[in-house]
Amino acid sequence: MAPDGDAMGSALAMWHYCKDRFAERGKVKSESGKWSVTVIVPNAFPSFFDWMPGAHEIKIYEHEAEKCNKLIAEADLFFCLDFNDPSRIGPMGARMLANPCPKILIDHHPGLERGKWKEESERGEGLTEIHSDPEACSTCEIVYRLIVESGESIVDGQIATCLYTGLMTDTGNFSFNSTRAELYDIIASLLRAGVKKDEIYDAVFNQYSADRVRLTGYALHRKMRIYPEHHLALITLSADELERFHYQIGDTEGLVNMPLQISDVYYSVFMREERAKPGTPKSRIRISFRSQGDRPVNIWASEVFHGGGHMNASGGEIYGTIGQAVRLFEQSYKKYLKI
Ligand code: 5GP
Ligand code: MN
């Protein structure tokens, strides 16, 4: 799954922070005399994050597995940002657990106690430190707090820019999950550190291709089904349909939120088919769930679609056809959704 703005922002903010601090403390590690710090993400990120400070230094595991495996095996410390279950980062997770060095988790997903870290930590390979706060709007918010608690103020414009990106994207530009006043104190201090907020919005939300906008129109016009008695909407897009619109990673980001604009739709589900990789028999169907208010979707995502996430924003997947995923959806929504 492609890293989102919060994963990118929190990882890059920590990267800038660690690079500068560890070097300052004179801990000699690499040939250059500095500790070397690397961001590794499991999959390619959408091109609308290319502009982020440090994005070009990121290693993408699926593109350079061998190089990344070496870095992971030789690491002395890991920060795990914006995920709380090692399986969320694919094969990278097992590689990381095989290295017994300290691991610090910084995350805002609920359910750490149910996640797989517990089993692993019982084998002595788990987390050394956990900074998990499901009340936080984003992992970037927790990274901000940790930096400030360490006695520093955010004066670095690059760190501030990375953190602002995660705050903005994980709250839909402050339209949900963003009612706490402290969040706006954080934004004020990031603005003072030099964040150009309108430019960040523009870079993330106003640089779409014409194909992406047309795909959105097609999905809403032709592919949205509404289940009025359950205040529920479903959009599906097959691999063929995505190819027709020259799909690029990130092109369907935010689509799942759009049916919630309808006055009596409170739940929205979006299914996207990824064609089977060579040598594997089945397509992967990625499923996104969104809801409004006190209407959890994460239990449904976890019990029926092998996923999980936040109360109002979750994801999951099945291997098979879109038709099979829709059948599972139709067999289960009445059980999991409040009317
Ligand atoms: P999205 O719909 O944007 O892919 O994901 C929404 C939220 O659900 C994110 O916070 C993400 O971490 C979580 N999520 C997405 N897919 C999965 C999954 O397969 N497993 C779990 N545990 N969480 C997921
Ligand atoms: Mn997040």
Side-chain angles (χ1 to χ4, degrees), residues 167-179 183-184 257 292:
L167 298 182
M168 179 187 82
T169 52
D170 257 24
T171 58
N173 199 34
F174 312 103
S175 63
F176 49 80
N177 208 8
S178 50
T179 49
L183 177 57
Y184 299 89
N257 293 304
Q292 289 169 321

Side-chain angles (χ1 to χ4, degrees), residues 131-247:
H131 301 275
S132 165
D133 180 4
E135 300 291 306
C137 75
S138 56
T139 298
C140 281
E141 178 181 342
I142 310 174
V143 170
Y144 173 91
R145 281 196 236 136
L146 289 170
I147 294 177
V148 170
E149 279 164 21
S150 77
E152 302 204 27
S153 49
I154 308 262
V155 288
D156 178 321
Q158 294 193 314
I159 294 181
T161 295
C162 294
L163 293 177
Y164 184 83
T165 304
L167 298 182
M168 179 187 82
T169 52
D170 257 24
T171 58
N173 199 34
F174 312 103
S175 63
F176 49 80
N177 208 8
S178 50
T179 49
R180 284 171 308 112
E182 305 89 84
L183 177 57
Y184 299 89
D185 295 334
I186 295 176
I187 294 169
S189 79
L190 296 178
L191 291 172
R192 281 188 205 102
V195 160
K196 307 258 190 303
K197 88 179 242 312
D198 295 355
E199 287 178 19
I200 296 176
Y201 182 92
D202 192 58
V204 176
F205 294 119
N206 286 336
Q207 302 296 329
Y208 302 168
S209 65
D211 273 330
R212 174 178 173 165
V213 177
R214 289 188 205 286
L215 174 64
T216 304
Y218 169 76
L220 293 172
H221 178 42
R222 304 292 295 276
K223 300 303 307 282
M224 180 174 67
R225 257 179 262 177
I226 295 180
Y227 300 73
E229 73 288 6
H230 272 79
H231 309 284
L232 168 64
L234 170 67
I235 295 175
T236 62
L237 288 173
S238 67
D240 282 346
E241 288 168 321
L242 293 164
E243 279 164 20
R244 207 184 310 153
F245 290 90
H246 309 106
Y247 173 79

Side-chain angles (χ1 to χ4, degrees), residues 4 6-7 82 107-109 137-140 166 170 310:
D4 66 11
D6 189 29
D82 204 36
D107 181 51
H108 69 131
H109 291 90
C137 75
S138 56
T139 298
C140 281
D170 257 24
H310 308 279

Side-chain angles (χ1 to χ4, degrees), residues 6-24 34-41 50-59 71 77-81 106 139-140 143-144 147 156 158-160 162-163:
D6 189 29
M8 292 288 290
S10 56
L12 285 172
M14 279 307 289
W15 180 74
H16 285 287
Y17 182 83
C18 292
K19 236 171 16 105
D20 301 345
R21 302 313 176 286
F22 289 167
E24 268 168 23
K34 292 179 179 178
W35 276 58
S36 85
V37 189
T38 310
V39 175
I40 307 180
V41 295
D50 279 349
W51 60 272
M52 291 182 76
H56 293 291
E57 305 283 325
I58 291 179
K59 298 255 177 293
L71 284 166
L77 174 67
F78 291 102
F79 286 99
C80 302
L81 293 147
I106 307 176
T139 298
C140 281
V143 170
Y144 173 91
I147 294 177
D156 178 321
Q158 294 193 314
I159 294 181
C162 294
L163 293 177

Side-chain angles (χ1 to χ4, degrees), residues 30 123 187 206 263 325 338:
S30 70
R123 297 213 305 267
I187 294 169
N206 286 336
S263 68
K338 293 181 188 176

Side-chain angles (χ1 to χ4, degrees), residues 98-145:
N99 178 339
C101 76
K103 299 174 190 73
I104 300 175
L105 179 127
I106 307 176
D107 181 51
H108 69 131
H109 291 90
L112 186 61
E113 63 291 350
R114 287 187 290 113
K116 293 197 184 111
W117 287 106
K118 195 151 178 274
E119 287 161 36
E120 303 294 347
S121 64
E122 279 162 8
R123 297 213 305 267
E125 296 168 326
L127 300 166
T128 329
E129 245 180 75
I130 297 175
H131 301 275
S132 165
D133 180 4
E135 300 291 306
C137 75
S138 56
T139 298
C140 281
E141 178 181 342
I142 310 174
V143 170
Y144 173 91
R145 281 196 236 136

